[in-house]
Amino acid sequence: VQLQASGGGLVQAGDSLRLSCAASGRAFSRYRMGWFRQAPGKEREFVAASGASRYYADSVKGRFTISKDNAKNTVYLQMNSLKPEDTAVYYCAARGSYSGSYSRVGDYDYWGQGTLVTVSS
């Protein structure tokens, strides 16, 4: 499985941005898809996941929405009301089943290359 993330950019606080992650391979509908982010000097952290349900980190709940289009093999992350602390490289990730933790980096099998989101104040 190959993942290609896109949609990052430079925006101002309060703006919106939509990230996309296109996946190759079959059985996409059975994958758990996740978004993670990594700010400079910090560890990679969970943002959102789509599997049997949708899951969000507390820091983005109510502002970010993950959605999955199985027909297009694509997962999206709609980010609204962006804050400077959302600045990070955003990575999409995939796991071939719904088992394991949805928020743990080590429980995902495939990773995209990352897309940079910069939010200015």
Side-chain angles (χ1 to χ4, degrees):
V1 174
Q2 292 185 325
L3 303 175
Q4 181 72 37
S6 62
L10 172 63
V11 298
Q12 293 187 330
D15 284 351
S16 298
L17 206 57
R18 189 177 80 157
L19 305 182
S20 300
C21 176
S24 65
R26 295 176 286 183
F28 178 76
S29 62
R30 296 191 219 136
Y31 290 175
R32 170 185 288 155
M33 300 299 296
W35 285 99
F36 290 75
R37 67 187 181 187
Q38 188 165 17
K42 295 189 176 181
E43 292 188 352
R44 193 168 298 189
E45 65 175 9
F46 168 74
V47 175
S50 177
S53 298
R54 298 180 188 181
Y55 309 92
Y56 299 94
D58 287 343
S59 59
V60 307
K61 206 171 288 184
R63 299 188 299 121
F64 291 11
T65 302
I66 187 171
S67 60
K68 197 174 168 211
D69 187 334
N70 292 327
K72 294 183 178 180
N73 276 20
T74 301
V75 63
Y76 303 97
L77 185 68
Q78 177 66 42
M79 305 186 294
N80 298 330
S81 302
L82 282 161
K83 304 175 181 180
E85 50 264 43
D86 295 318
T87 295
V89 176
Y90 283 71
Y91 297 90
C92 60
R95 178 174 175 83
S97 71
Y98 291 171
S99 64
S101 167
Y102 60 82
S103 62
R104 205 159 67 95
V105 169
D107 276 6
Y108 285 82
D109 305 311
Y110 308 100
W111 291 85
Q113 85 287 3
T115 184
L116 177 62
V117 173
T118 304
V119 184
S120 63
S121 57

